[in-house]
């Protein structure tokens, strides 16, 4: 055995340790936003304003094959990132028992369009000459992804048509109707 | 109120643990592959394919880094290439649709979405949009 071999192994281990720390740091950065978001959801979910917002968005989400509880994962994914959106959907689907087709709809929407501010800003900044070009590029990058997300997700619901698609729309409908009834009581 | 707070913290902790368990080994493996030169070698092989998108061969490494690691490493690799605005926009659209595929696909699987379908969709749509954008934003090479 040459002296180089244990050195190489030591080097490799050190590198792997560095990568592990980077991975842990990455998880930590996500946790910093994920923990308050999940706790905030638990605190806000029973509030009437949250229900009214869901009722407004409900029929529109139904067209995308989602029911009102999908609002938070969708918003979190759209603005913070896919990891946050999909991360938040795990506890929510455990609690509400989301239909697998709804989860797929949220997933399809978010793979098209997520972290719109951070991701687009990164590319808009490369070699851009002035704020006008940055703004134009951000609008182009974000707008096209959002249009794709809405187009493809609603096309999937229309194309599938099956019981799952109708179920999502139907549930969104009852959610809106239920909230309307609650509003009348008030 | 307190009960909701406790339940929220427990749920958040559970989710963070899932993320942590997935992210750390993923980072180690990808880092190892990068240090062994595997990612660079694949980049060289992929260079001719980049011509489809009117992009230089070196851009393949940025695309692979974006696909496998994240957008930060991809944009860092792009910075030194001196690409035109149209080329950056094309890459931004391609990588915007498909990036950090390992971690994000595992997260989607944990959320119980049909991950393989979504992964194939992302790659396919990335190519399609990249091809269309390259015809719109990048002048043909003489």
């Amino acid at each position: 055995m040459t002296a180089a071999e244990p050195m190489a192994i030591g080097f490799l281990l050190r590198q792997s340790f560095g990568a592990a720390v980077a991975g842990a740091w990455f998880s930590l950065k996500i946790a910093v936003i994920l923990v308050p978001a999940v706790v905030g959801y638990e605190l806000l979910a029973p509030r009437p304003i949250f229900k009214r917002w869901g009722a407004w968005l409900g029929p529109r989400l139904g067209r995308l094959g989602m029911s009102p509880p999908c609002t938070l994962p969708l918003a979190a994914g759209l603005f913070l990132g896919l990891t946050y959106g999909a991360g938040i959907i795990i506890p929510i689907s455990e609690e509400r028992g989301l239909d697998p087709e709804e989860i797929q709809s949220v997933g399809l929407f978010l793979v098209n369009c997520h972290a719109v501010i951070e991701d687009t800003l990164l590319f808009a900044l490369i070699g851009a000459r002035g704020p006008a070009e940055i703004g134009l590029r951000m609008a182009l990058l974000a707008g096209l992804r959002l249009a794709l997300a809405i187009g493809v997700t609603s096309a999937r619901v229309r194309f599938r048509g099956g019981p799952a698609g109708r179920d999502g729309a139907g549930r969104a409908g009852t959610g809106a109707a239920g909230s309307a009834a609650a509003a009348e009581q008030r | 109120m307190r009960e909701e707070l406790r339940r929220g913290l427990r749920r958040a902790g559970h989710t963070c643990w899932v993320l942590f368990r997935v992210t750390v080994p993923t980072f180690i493996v990808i880092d190892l592959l990068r240090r062994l030169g595997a990612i660079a070698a694949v980049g060289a092989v992929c260079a001719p394919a980049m011509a489809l998108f009117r992009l230089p061969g070196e851009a393949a490494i940025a695309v692979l880094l974006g696909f496998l690691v994240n957008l930060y490493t991809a944009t860092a690799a792009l910075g030194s290439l001196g690409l035109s605005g149209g080329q950056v926009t094309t890459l931004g659209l391609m990588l915007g649709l498909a990036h950090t595929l390992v971690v994000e696909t595992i997260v989607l699987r944990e959320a119980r979405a049909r991950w393989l379908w979504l992964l194939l969709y992302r790659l396919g749509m990335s190519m399609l949009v990249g091809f269309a954008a390259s015809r719109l934003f990048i002048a043909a090479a003489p």
Side-chain angles (χ1 to χ4, degrees):
Chain A
M1 190 186 249
T2 63
E5 276 174 50
M7 264 173 67
I9 290 166
F11 176 75
L12 217 63
L13 278 177
R14 261 203 311 281
Q15 293 301 341
S16 294
F17 180 73
V21 170
W25 178 240
F26 180 82
S27 316
L28 195 72
K29 277 191 294 188
I30 289 173
V32 164
I33 295 180
L34 194 107
V35 172
V38 173
V39 172
Y41 168 74
E42 288 291 339
L43 294 178
L44 287 175
R47 305 282 153 122
I49 186 148
F50 202 70
K51 287 203 180 92
R52 256 177 284 159
W53 188 38
W56 179 83
L57 214 66
R60 291 156 184 84
L61 282 183
R63 229 169 291 161
L64 298 174
M66 301 171 206
S67 60
C70 297
T71 313
L72 185 80
L74 199 65
L78 205 53
F79 292 105
L80 302 175
L82 181 64
T83 323
Y84 304 101
I88 290 169
I89 213 172
I90 298 172
I92 290 176
S93 86
E94 273 169 10
E95 180 194 3
R96 305 281 196 105
L98 290 180
D99 187 291
E101 290 302 323
E102 287 182 52
I103 296 178
Q104 190 70 6
S105 276
V106 176
L108 184 60
F109 189 98
L110 288 182
V111 295
N112 277 290
C113 188
H114 60 261
V116 277
I117 295 163
E118 193 185 305
D119 284 7
T120 47
L121 194 59
L122 272 178
F123 280 95
L125 288 173
I126 300 177
R129 291 170 295 267
E133 199 180 342
I134 294 175
L136 193 75
R137 245 194 244 167
M138 274 190 86
L140 183 72
L141 293 174
L144 208 114
R145 286 176 71 192
L146 188 64
L148 262 180
I150 294 171
V152 170
T153 313
S154 58
R156 172 176 175 272
V157 171
R158 215 164 304 161
F159 180 72
R160 287 181 71 92
R166 272 204 300 278
D167 182 42
R171 258 205 271 169
T174 46
S179 299
E184 262 173 56
Q185 279 176 1
R186 242 179 279 125
Chain B
M1 185 81 171
R2 185 171 293 174
E3 173 53 35
E4 283 145 0
L5 190 70
R6 199 162 40 216
R7 197 171 54 206
L9 282 173
R10 202 175 51 234
R11 291 228 164 94
H14 171 74
T15 308
C16 288
W17 170 236
V18 170
L19 282 175
F20 185 82
R21 218 172 47 197
V22 158
T23 308
V24 172
T26 304
F27 265 61
I28 293 175
V29 169
I30 288 174
D31 181 74
L32 218 61
L33 285 176
R34 202 177 52 204
R35 300 206 180 263
L36 291 171
I39 288 178
V42 175
V45 172
C46 289
M50 296 312 287
L52 265 176
F53 306 105
R54 296 186 176 166
L55 292 167
E58 298 96 317
I61 291 160
V63 170
L64 283 171
L65 282 174
F67 279 4
L68 294 174
V69 189
N70 56 39
L71 288 180
Y72 293 98
T73 55
T75 47
L78 279 181
S80 56
L81 291 182
L83 298 175
S84 72
Q87 286 174 321
V88 173
T89 303
T90 302
L91 274 167
L93 284 169
M94 291 179 75
L95 287 174
L97 283 163
H99 57 251
T100 327
L101 291 173
V102 183
V103 172
E104 290 190 348
T105 300
I106 293 173
V107 171
L108 283 168
R109 196 195 65 188
E110 294 291 329
R112 271 173 273 173
R114 288 190 294 277
W115 59 273
L116 185 63
W117 199 92
L118 291 176
L119 177 65
L120 292 176
Y121 169 83
R122 291 182 86 174
L123 287 170
M125 192 50 93
S126 171
M127 303 291 152
L128 209 69
V129 168
F131 185 82
S134 70
R135 305 300 120 159
L136 282 173
F137 302 129
I138 308 172

